[in-house]
Amino acid sequence: MAFKSIRSRLTAWYVTLLGIILILFSVFLNYSLSKRLYESVDNSLTVSATVVATSAVMNFNRSPLSGIDQFFEQFMGAGNLNKFYRIYDGSGNVGSRSKNIDASKFPLSQAAYTDALKGLNSYETFLVDGKHPIRVITMPILREKKLVNLVQVGTSLEAVQETLRNLRIFLFTSVPLVLVLAALFARFMARRALKPISRIIQTARDIGQGQELNQRIPVLKVQDELGQLALTFNEMMDRLENSFAQMRQFSSDASHELRTPLTVLKGQNELVLSKPRDPKEYQEVIASNLEEINYMSKVLEDLFILSKSDENQIHLNCKPMELRDLVEEVCKHAEVLASDKNIRIIIAFLESVKINGDEVRLRQMVWNILDNGIKYTQPGGELKVSLQDEGEFALLSIQDTGIGISEKALPSIFDRFYRVDKARSRDEGGSGLGLSICKHIAEAHKGKIEVESKLDVGTRFKIRIPTLSAVG
Ligand code: ADP
């Protein structure tokens, strides 16, 4: 039978196991009790036969032994089948017997006589009148190894069989009853224990059917496995909800970012086409269009890099390299931009440090930081660059004397599309994606990027990349 639910399966296993244990127990109980009872009957018969034999040896004749009848009446109970005796001579003829049973109902068997000739006791069970079971011991009395007398003592087995019958009736009724109760109890317990799973299923189903992601499972007992499962499920939902919110924010920011230049493009083109213009005007509009197109392609390129890094698909082309050479080279290029704004790039010191890195990505990262430094520093300011070998890490520090970042804005500057001053950044051609990309590049190299800043004083970026010796 195939049970669909865990609850039914648990109940079935539990009841089957309990059933097997109870049946084995019942069989064992029945066997050992009946063995014990029959043994005790045989033992009592042996004791009685020994008593009779001792009396018989003292004085044997064909009539009942003097005084023995009274003795047996006291010893065994008078006039019933409970116990009786017979004494035979060596040839198997009855000498003395109790009066409570007819000898013809169970004659001396050949097997018992043969055993007696060998000096052995024998125990037999007979049915008197086809319905009364009796147990009989046949005990030989030997003199000088010759069989002189045989003593038979019998007793009714009805009490023993009645006890065993009652036991079986009890077992046959109580075992199924216990199993039914156990099944009901097991079902109840399984339902109680598995209740949190039903809640998890329901919550997951609700979410799957389009309900809000903010649903959670109430966690009552954190210590047990189901509590842990509910907790893990809730944590997973937290992360999913966060990711979805980020994704939503990201796509709305991205579409907004592209819609603005498109609106500008459309407006400018419509305006210029509304009436005939001279070539100079057309040239100006086309130049402005080109600027917007360049901006859009930069945003798209940055978005492409970020989406790839989200899927962990940024494949770094790492090789051992001298970081000092790379920093020197990027600084040289940035100097052209800086001098246009009358900003000085001061190289404080550059230590030689080898790392395992992707030259293209690292150049992009250093360039972004230097470019930001130039963008957000007033003319006459300066940028200080240093590179230090810290043993485990190469520490690149880029410090400017620019506008700085407020304490409130500082934790957000690595977020996508985050800009402290949107208008200013946009004028400078910034998309708000540069620092997110820098963070990704540093982390992809197993390094980290940190920022310290003071409003109107300046900003310092510290980038740590593991050295070649640390990577091994
Ligand atoms: P953007 O393209 O706008 O420069 P970034 O991701 O590079 O985007 O930087 C995010 C924001 O962090 C910027 O808009 C700017 O407000 C702030 N920021 C970055 N670098 C500096 C800096 N050196 N000085 C002051 N503000 C900065």
Side-chain angles (χ1 to χ4, degrees), residues 409-440:
L410 212 54
S412 310
I413 61 161
F414 293 104
D415 293 349
R416 291 164 191 194
F417 292 114
Y418 182 82
R419 283 167 288 193
V420 179
D421 180 346
K422 255 194 170 164
R424 179 176 184 151
S425 161
R426 177 84 174 79
D427 290 346
E428 302 277 1
S431 63
L433 294 173
L435 285 180
S436 313
I437 293 174
C438 289
K439 189 164 180 262
H440 269 291

PDB file of all heavy atoms in Angstrom, residues 409-440:
ATOM      1  N   ALA A 409      25.673  59.842   3.826  1.00  0.00           N
ATOM      2  CA  ALA A 409      25.734  59.274   2.463  1.00  0.00           C
ATOM      3  C   ALA A 409      26.806  58.198   2.335  1.00  0.00           C
ATOM      4  O   ALA A 409      26.710  57.323   1.452  1.00  0.00           O
ATOM      5  CB  ALA A 409      25.992  60.390   1.460  1.00  0.00           C
ATOM      6  N   LEU A 410      27.781  58.263   3.250  1.00  0.00           N
ATOM      7  CA  LEU A 410      28.954  57.380   3.113  1.00  0.00           C
ATOM      8  C   LEU A 410      28.632  55.883   2.953  1.00  0.00           C
ATOM      9  O   LEU A 410      29.184  55.234   2.070  1.00  0.00           O
ATOM     10  CB  LEU A 410      29.893  57.615   4.299  1.00  0.00           C
ATOM     11  CG  LEU A 410      31.390  57.440   4.020  1.00  0.00           C
ATOM     12  CD1 LEU A 410      31.873  58.283   2.861  1.00  0.00           C
ATOM     13  CD2 LEU A 410      32.185  57.754   5.270  1.00  0.00           C
ATOM     14  N   PRO A 411      27.706  55.332   3.775  1.00  0.00           N
ATOM     15  CA  PRO A 411      27.464  53.878   3.628  1.00  0.00           C
ATOM     16  C   PRO A 411      26.822  53.490   2.297  1.00  0.00           C
ATOM     17  O   PRO A 411      26.832  52.328   1.930  1.00  0.00           O
ATOM     18  CB  PRO A 411      26.479  53.564   4.776  1.00  0.00           C
ATOM     19  CG  PRO A 411      26.505  54.727   5.681  1.00  0.00           C
ATOM     20  CD  PRO A 411      26.912  55.904   4.872  1.00  0.00           C
ATOM     21  N   SER A 412      26.262  54.467   1.563  1.00  0.00           N
ATOM     22  CA  SER A 412      25.513  54.121   0.341  1.00  0.00           C
ATOM     23  C   SER A 412      26.318  54.295  -0.939  1.00  0.00           C
ATOM     24  O   SER A 412      25.835  53.922  -2.009  1.00  0.00           O
ATOM     25  CB  SER A 412      24.262  54.994   0.231  1.00  0.00           C
ATOM     26  OG  SER A 412      23.547  54.970   1.413  1.00  0.00           O
ATOM     27  N   ILE A 413      27.524  54.868  -0.828  1.00  0.00           N
ATOM     28  CA  ILE A 413      28.160  55.253  -2.100  1.00  0.00           C
ATOM     29  C   ILE A 413      28.569  54.074  -2.988  1.00  0.00           C
ATOM     30  O   ILE A 413      28.792  54.253  -4.176  1.00  0.00           O
ATOM     31  CB  ILE A 413      29.370  56.193  -1.899  1.00  0.00           C
ATOM     32  CG1 ILE A 413      30.431  55.499  -1.067  1.00  0.00           C
ATOM     33  CG2 ILE A 413      28.972  57.528  -1.314  1.00  0.00           C
ATOM     34  CD1 ILE A 413      31.776  56.177  -1.240  1.00  0.00           C
ATOM     35  N   PHE A 414      28.619  52.848  -2.390  1.00  0.00           N
ATOM     36  CA  PHE A 414      28.942  51.689  -3.250  1.00  0.00           C
ATOM     37  C   PHE A 414      27.678  51.057  -3.846  1.00  0.00           C
ATOM     38  O   PHE A 414      27.759  50.093  -4.584  1.00  0.00           O
ATOM     39  CB  PHE A 414      29.736  50.638  -2.461  1.00  0.00           C
ATOM     40  CG  PHE A 414      31.110  51.104  -2.069  1.00  0.00           C
ATOM     41  CD1 PHE A 414      31.388  51.499  -0.777  1.00  0.00           C
ATOM     42  CD2 PHE A 414      32.125  51.183  -3.021  1.00  0.00           C
ATOM     43  CE1 PHE A 414      32.650  51.949  -0.415  1.00  0.00           C
ATOM     44  CE2 PHE A 414      33.394  51.636  -2.669  1.00  0.00           C
ATOM     45  CZ  PHE A 414      33.650  52.021  -1.364  1.00  0.00           C
ATOM     46  N   ASP A 415      26.488  51.629  -3.498  1.00  0.00           N
ATOM     47  CA  ASP A 415      25.236  51.088  -4.053  1.00  0.00           C
ATOM     48  C   ASP A 415      25.071  51.541  -5.503  1.00  0.00           C
ATOM     49  O   ASP A 415      25.493  52.635  -5.871  1.00  0.00           O
ATOM     50  CB  ASP A 415      24.023  51.595  -3.245  1.00  0.00           C
ATOM     51  CG  ASP A 415      24.021  51.031  -1.839  1.00  0.00           C
ATOM     52  OD1 ASP A 415      24.824  50.105  -1.581  1.00  0.00           O
ATOM     53  OD2 ASP A 415      23.235  51.530  -1.003  1.00  0.00           O
ATOM     54  N   ARG A 416      24.362  50.682  -6.248  1.00  0.00           N
ATOM     55  CA  ARG A 416      24.156  51.017  -7.663  1.00  0.00           C
ATOM     56  C   ARG A 416      23.300  52.268  -7.820  1.00  0.00           C
ATOM     57  O   ARG A 416      22.299  52.405  -7.127  1.00  0.00           O
ATOM     58  CB  ARG A 416      23.468  49.860  -8.364  1.00  0.00           C
ATOM     59  CG  ARG A 416      24.389  48.704  -8.460  1.00  0.00           C
ATOM     60  CD  ARG A 416      23.656  47.467  -8.773  1.00  0.00           C
ATOM     61  NE  ARG A 416      24.587  46.359  -8.577  1.00  0.00           N
ATOM     62  CZ  ARG A 416      24.359  45.151  -9.005  1.00  0.00           C
ATOM     63  NH1 ARG A 416      23.241  44.875  -9.627  1.00  0.00           N
ATOM     64  NH2 ARG A 416      25.254  44.216  -8.809  1.00  0.00           N
ATOM     65  N   PHE A 417      23.704  53.100  -8.728  1.00  0.00           N
ATOM     66  CA  PHE A 417      22.993  54.330  -9.097  1.00  0.00           C
ATOM     67  C   PHE A 417      22.952  55.356  -7.966  1.00  0.00           C
ATOM     68  O   PHE A 417      22.253  56.347  -8.075  1.00  0.00           O
ATOM     69  CB  PHE A 417      21.543  54.033  -9.551  1.00  0.00           C
ATOM     70  CG  PHE A 417      21.485  53.284 -10.854  1.00  0.00           C
ATOM     71  CD1 PHE A 417      20.995  51.995 -10.911  1.00  0.00           C
ATOM     72  CD2 PHE A 417      21.925  53.874 -12.034  1.00  0.00           C
ATOM     73  CE1 PHE A 417      20.941  51.300 -12.094  1.00  0.00           C
ATOM     74  CE2 PHE A 417      21.872  53.185 -13.231  1.00  0.00           C
ATOM     75  CZ  PHE A 417      21.378  51.896 -13.270  1.00  0.00           C
ATOM     76  N   TYR A 418      23.674  55.058  -6.873  1.00  0.00           N
ATOM     77  CA  TYR A 418      23.627  56.044  -5.787  1.00  0.00           C
ATOM     78  C   TYR A 418      24.544  57.222  -6.122  1.00  0.00           C
ATOM     79  O   TYR A 418      25.703  57.044  -6.480  1.00  0.00           O
ATOM     80  CB  TYR A 418      24.040  55.418  -4.446  1.00  0.00           C
ATOM     81  CG  TYR A 418      23.953  56.432  -3.327  1.00  0.00           C
ATOM     82  CD1 TYR A 418      22.742  56.707  -2.723  1.00  0.00           C
ATOM     83  CD2 TYR A 418      25.076  57.174  -2.957  1.00  0.00           C
ATOM     84  CE1 TYR A 418      22.641  57.687  -1.749  1.00  0.00           C
ATOM     85  CE2 TYR A 418      24.982  58.146  -1.982  1.00  0.00           C
ATOM     86  CZ  TYR A 418      23.763  58.400  -1.381  1.00  0.00           C
ATOM     87  OH  TYR A 418      23.668  59.388  -0.430  1.00  0.00           O
ATOM     88  N   ARG A 419      23.998  58.403  -6.011  1.00  0.00           N
ATOM     89  CA  ARG A 419      24.792  59.615  -6.207  1.00  0.00           C
ATOM     90  C   ARG A 419      24.398  60.611  -5.143  1.00  0.00           C
ATOM     91  O   ARG A 419      23.211  60.798  -4.885  1.00  0.00           O
ATOM     92  CB  ARG A 419      24.532  60.195  -7.589  1.00  0.00           C
ATOM     93  CG  ARG A 419      25.265  59.417  -8.660  1.00  0.00           C
ATOM     94  CD  ARG A 419      24.804  59.764 -10.022  1.00  0.00           C
ATOM     95  NE  ARG A 419      23.478  59.227 -10.275  1.00  0.00           N
ATOM     96  CZ  ARG A 419      22.930  59.177 -11.477  1.00  0.00           C
ATOM     97  NH1 ARG A 419      23.577  59.649 -12.504  1.00  0.00           N
ATOM     98  NH2 ARG A 419      21.745  58.684 -11.654  1.00  0.00           N
ATOM     99  N   VAL A 420      25.411  61.220  -4.486  1.00  0.00           N
ATOM    100  CA  VAL A 420      25.087  62.175  -3.420  1.00  0.00           C
ATOM    101  C   VAL A 420      24.339  63.359  -4.038  1.00  0.00           C
ATOM    102  O   VAL A 420      23.290  63.756  -3.569  1.00  0.00           O
ATOM    103  CB  VAL A 420      26.374  62.643  -2.697  1.00  0.00           C
ATOM    104  CG1 VAL A 420      26.026  63.654  -1.602  1.00  0.00           C
ATOM    105  CG2 VAL A 420      27.116  61.447  -2.114  1.00  0.00           C
ATOM    106  N   ASP A 421      24.890  63.866  -5.137  1.00  0.00           N
ATOM    107  CA  ASP A 421      24.260  65.008  -5.810  1.00  0.00           C
ATOM    108  C   ASP A 421      23.999  64.583  -7.250  1.00  0.00           C
ATOM    109  O   ASP A 421      24.911  64.598  -8.083  1.00  0.00           O
ATOM    110  CB  ASP A 421      25.228  66.206  -5.723  1.00  0.00           C
ATOM    111  CG  ASP A 421      24.656  67.453  -6.391  1.00  0.00           C
ATOM    112  OD1 ASP A 421      23.656  67.319  -7.146  1.00  0.00           O
ATOM    113  OD2 ASP A 421      25.204  68.539  -6.158  1.00  0.00           O
ATOM    114  N   LYS A 422      22.770  64.211  -7.521  1.00  0.00           N
ATOM    115  CA  LYS A 422      22.407  63.631  -8.833  1.00  0.00           C
ATOM    116  C   LYS A 422      22.780  64.566  -9.971  1.00  0.00           C
ATOM    117  O   LYS A 422      23.399  64.159 -10.958  1.00  0.00           O
ATOM    118  CB  LYS A 422      20.906  63.344  -8.860  1.00  0.00           C
ATOM    119  CG  LYS A 422      20.656  61.872  -8.710  1.00  0.00           C
ATOM    120  CD  LYS A 422      19.259  61.513  -9.054  1.00  0.00           C
ATOM    121  CE  LYS A 422      19.273  60.061  -9.095  1.00  0.00           C
ATOM    122  NZ  LYS A 422      18.795  59.047  -9.106  1.00  0.00           N
ATOM    123  N   ALA A 423      22.388  65.846  -9.816  1.00  0.00           N
ATOM    124  CA  ALA A 423      22.583  66.798 -10.905  1.00  0.00           C
ATOM    125  C   ALA A 423      24.062  66.965 -11.202  1.00  0.00           C
ATOM    126  O   ALA A 423      24.502  66.914 -12.348  1.00  0.00           O
ATOM    127  CB  ALA A 423      21.953  68.129 -10.506  1.00  0.00           C
ATOM    128  N   ARG A 424      24.831  67.081 -10.094  1.00  0.00           N
ATOM    129  CA  ARG A 424      26.256  67.312 -10.276  1.00  0.00           C
ATOM    130  C   ARG A 424      26.907  66.105 -10.963  1.00  0.00           C
ATOM    131  O   ARG A 424      27.676  66.254 -11.907  1.00  0.00           O
ATOM    132  CB  ARG A 424      26.909  67.563  -8.926  1.00  0.00           C
ATOM    133  CG  ARG A 424      28.392  67.778  -9.074  1.00  0.00           C
ATOM    134  CD  ARG A 424      29.057  68.121  -7.784  1.00  0.00           C
ATOM    135  NE  ARG A 424      30.455  68.404  -8.073  1.00  0.00           N
ATOM    136  CZ  ARG A 424      31.180  69.213  -7.388  1.00  0.00           C
ATOM    137  NH1 ARG A 424      30.653  69.880  -6.381  1.00  0.00           N
ATOM    138  NH2 ARG A 424      32.444  69.404  -7.685  1.00  0.00           N
ATOM    139  N   SER A 425      26.560  64.931 -10.488  1.00  0.00           N
ATOM    140  CA  SER A 425      27.153  63.721 -11.050  1.00  0.00           C
ATOM    141  C   SER A 425      26.814  63.596 -12.532  1.00  0.00           C
ATOM    142  O   SER A 425      27.643  63.253 -13.359  1.00  0.00           O
ATOM    143  CB  SER A 425      26.639  62.506 -10.278  1.00  0.00           C
ATOM    144  OG  SER A 425      26.817  61.358 -11.024  1.00  0.00           O
ATOM    145  N   ARG A 426      25.544  63.897 -12.850  1.00  0.00           N
ATOM    146  CA  ARG A 426      25.065  63.787 -14.234  1.00  0.00           C
ATOM    147  C   ARG A 426      25.831  64.765 -15.129  1.00  0.00           C
ATOM    148  O   ARG A 426      26.249  64.417 -16.227  1.00  0.00           O
ATOM    149  CB  ARG A 426      23.548  64.077 -14.229  1.00  0.00           C
ATOM    150  CG  ARG A 426      22.882  64.073 -15.557  1.00  0.00           C
ATOM    151  CD  ARG A 426      22.517  62.625 -15.930  1.00  0.00           C
ATOM    152  NE  ARG A 426      21.734  62.601 -17.166  1.00  0.00           N
ATOM    153  CZ  ARG A 426      22.253  62.716 -18.372  1.00  0.00           C
ATOM    154  NH1 ARG A 426      23.548  62.856 -18.526  1.00  0.00           N
ATOM    155  NH2 ARG A 426      21.475  62.677 -19.428  1.00  0.00           N
ATOM    156  N   ASP A 427      26.061  65.980 -14.601  1.00  0.00           N
ATOM    157  CA  ASP A 427      26.824  66.975 -15.369  1.00  0.00           C
ATOM    158  C   ASP A 427      28.234  66.486 -15.643  1.00  0.00           C
ATOM    159  O   ASP A 427      28.829  66.764 -16.677  1.00  0.00           O
ATOM    160  CB  ASP A 427      26.895  68.301 -14.587  1.00  0.00           C
ATOM    161  CG  ASP A 427      25.534  68.977 -14.547  1.00  0.00           C
ATOM    162  OD1 ASP A 427      24.651  68.563 -15.333  1.00  0.00           O
ATOM    163  OD2 ASP A 427      25.346  69.898 -13.717  1.00  0.00           O
ATOM    164  N   GLU A 428      28.752  65.731 -14.658  1.00  0.00           N
ATOM    165  CA  GLU A 428      30.130  65.234 -14.810  1.00  0.00           C
ATOM    166  C   GLU A 428      30.156  63.960 -15.651  1.00  0.00           C
ATOM    167  O   GLU A 428      31.191  63.339 -15.813  1.00  0.00           O
ATOM    168  CB  GLU A 428      30.728  64.932 -13.428  1.00  0.00           C
ATOM    169  CG  GLU A 428      30.760  66.112 -12.478  1.00  0.00           C
ATOM    170  CD  GLU A 428      31.964  67.031 -12.700  1.00  0.00           C
ATOM    171  OE1 GLU A 428      32.763  66.745 -13.610  1.00  0.00           O
ATOM    172  OE2 GLU A 428      32.085  68.017 -11.961  1.00  0.00           O
ATOM    173  N   GLY A 429      28.990  63.517 -16.083  1.00  0.00           N
ATOM    174  CA  GLY A 429      28.912  62.300 -16.920  1.00  0.00           C
ATOM    175  C   GLY A 429      28.886  61.026 -16.104  1.00  0.00           C
ATOM    176  O   GLY A 429      29.119  59.938 -16.618  1.00  0.00           O
ATOM    177  N   GLY A 430      28.580  61.163 -14.796  1.00  0.00           N
ATOM    178  CA  GLY A 430      28.577  59.963 -13.934  1.00  0.00           C
ATOM    179  C   GLY A 430      27.226  59.264 -13.939  1.00  0.00           C
ATOM    180  O   GLY A 430      26.189  59.901 -14.055  1.00  0.00           O
ATOM    181  N   SER A 431      27.241  57.952 -13.829  1.00  0.00           N
ATOM    182  CA  SER A 431      25.987  57.179 -13.842  1.00  0.00           C
ATOM    183  C   SER A 431      25.648  56.623 -12.461  1.00  0.00           C
ATOM    184  O   SER A 431      24.594  56.046 -12.257  1.00  0.00           O
ATOM    185  CB  SER A 431      26.132  56.016 -14.817  1.00  0.00           C
ATOM    186  OG  SER A 431      27.166  55.172 -14.352  1.00  0.00           O
ATOM    187  N   GLY A 432      26.572  56.760 -11.512  1.00  0.00           N
ATOM    188  CA  GLY A 432      26.326  56.188 -10.185  1.00  0.00           C
ATOM    189  C   GLY A 432      26.633  54.695 -10.122  1.00  0.00           C
ATOM    190  O   GLY A 432      26.262  54.015  -9.166  1.00  0.00           O
ATOM    191  N   LEU A 433      27.320  54.199 -11.137  1.00  0.00           N
ATOM    192  CA  LEU A 433      27.641  52.759 -11.147  1.00  0.00           C
ATOM    193  C   LEU A 433      29.135  52.493 -10.917  1.00  0.00           C
ATOM    194  O   LEU A 433      29.519  51.364 -10.628  1.00  0.00           O
ATOM    195  CB  LEU A 433      27.239  52.140 -12.492  1.00  0.00           C
ATOM    196  CG  LEU A 433      25.729  52.108 -12.797  1.00  0.00           C
ATOM    197  CD1 LEU A 433      25.485  51.637 -14.218  1.00  0.00           C
ATOM    198  CD2 LEU A 433      25.014  51.193 -11.818  1.00  0.00           C
ATOM    199  N   GLY A 434      29.939  53.576 -11.055  1.00  0.00           N
ATOM    200  CA  GLY A 434      31.399  53.398 -11.013  1.00  0.00           C
ATOM    201  C   GLY A 434      31.897  52.712  -9.760  1.00  0.00           C
ATOM    202  O   GLY A 434      32.649  51.735  -9.838  1.00  0.00           O
ATOM    203  N   LEU A 435      31.448  53.182  -8.565  1.00  0.00           N
ATOM    204  CA  LEU A 435      31.974  52.600  -7.323  1.00  0.00           C
ATOM    205  C   LEU A 435      31.470  51.169  -7.090  1.00  0.00           C
ATOM    206  O   LEU A 435      32.181  50.357  -6.501  1.00  0.00           O
ATOM    207  CB  LEU A 435      31.634  53.486  -6.119  1.00  0.00           C
ATOM    208  CG  LEU A 435      32.468  54.764  -6.010  1.00  0.00           C
ATOM    209  CD1 LEU A 435      32.064  55.573  -4.777  1.00  0.00           C
ATOM    210  CD2 LEU A 435      33.965  54.469  -5.960  1.00  0.00           C
ATOM    211  N   SER A 436      30.235  50.882  -7.571  1.00  0.00           N
ATOM    212  CA  SER A 436      29.747  49.489  -7.448  1.00  0.00           C
ATOM    213  C   SER A 436      30.675  48.562  -8.227  1.00  0.00           C
ATOM    214  O   SER A 436      31.016  47.464  -7.767  1.00  0.00           O
ATOM    215  CB  SER A 436      28.360  49.311  -8.048  1.00  0.00           C
ATOM    216  OG  SER A 436      27.518  50.299  -7.643  1.00  0.00           O
ATOM    217  N   ILE A 437      31.066  49.025  -9.416  1.00  0.00           N
ATOM    218  CA  ILE A 437      31.954  48.190 -10.236  1.00  0.00           C
ATOM    219  C   ILE A 437      33.315  48.041  -9.545  1.00  0.00           C
ATOM    220  O   ILE A 437      33.872  46.940  -9.481  1.00  0.00           O
ATOM    221  CB  ILE A 437      32.089  48.791 -11.654  1.00  0.00           C
ATOM    222  CG1 ILE A 437      30.726  48.685 -12.361  1.00  0.00           C
ATOM    223  CG2 ILE A 437      33.180  48.113 -12.448  1.00  0.00           C
ATOM    224  CD1 ILE A 437      30.656  49.357 -13.697  1.00  0.00           C
ATOM    225  N   CYS A 438      33.824  49.158  -8.950  1.00  0.00           N
ATOM    226  CA  CYS A 438      35.124  49.091  -8.250  1.00  0.00           C
ATOM    227  C   CYS A 438      35.069  48.045  -7.129  1.00  0.00           C
ATOM    228  O   CYS A 438      36.001  47.255  -6.941  1.00  0.00           O
ATOM    229  CB  CYS A 438      35.469  50.439  -7.631  1.00  0.00           C
ATOM    230  SG  CYS A 438      35.886  51.664  -8.848  1.00  0.00           S
ATOM    231  N   LYS A 439      33.953  48.062  -6.389  1.00  0.00           N
ATOM    232  CA  LYS A 439      33.803  47.122  -5.259  1.00  0.00           C
ATOM    233  C   LYS A 439      33.842  45.681  -5.791  1.00  0.00           C
ATOM    234  O   LYS A 439      34.516  44.822  -5.218  1.00  0.00           O
ATOM    235  CB  LYS A 439      32.476  47.405  -4.553  1.00  0.00           C
ATOM    236  CG  LYS A 439      32.301  46.663  -3.273  1.00  0.00           C
ATOM    237  CD  LYS A 439      31.187  47.287  -2.460  1.00  0.00           C
ATOM    238  CE  LYS A 439      30.978  46.551  -1.165  1.00  0.00           C
ATOM    239  NZ  LYS A 439      29.911  45.597  -1.201  1.00  0.00           N
ATOM    240  N   HIS A 440      33.114  45.463  -6.868  1.00  0.00           N
ATOM    241  CA  HIS A 440      33.087  44.117  -7.449  1.00  0.00           C
ATOM    242  C   HIS A 440      34.477  43.664  -7.882  1.00  0.00           C
ATOM    243  O   HIS A 440      34.863  42.514  -7.651  1.00  0.00           O
ATOM    244  CB  HIS A 440      32.155  44.079  -8.662  1.00  0.00           C
ATOM    245  CG  HIS A 440      30.765  43.715  -8.286  1.00  0.00           C
ATOM    246  ND1 HIS A 440      30.436  42.457  -7.853  1.00  0.00           N
ATOM    247  CD2 HIS A 440      29.634  44.447  -8.248  1.00  0.00           C
ATOM    248  CE1 HIS A 440      29.150  42.435  -7.568  1.00  0.00           C
ATOM    249  NE2 HIS A 440      28.631  43.625  -7.792  1.00  0.00           N
TER     250      HIS A 440
END
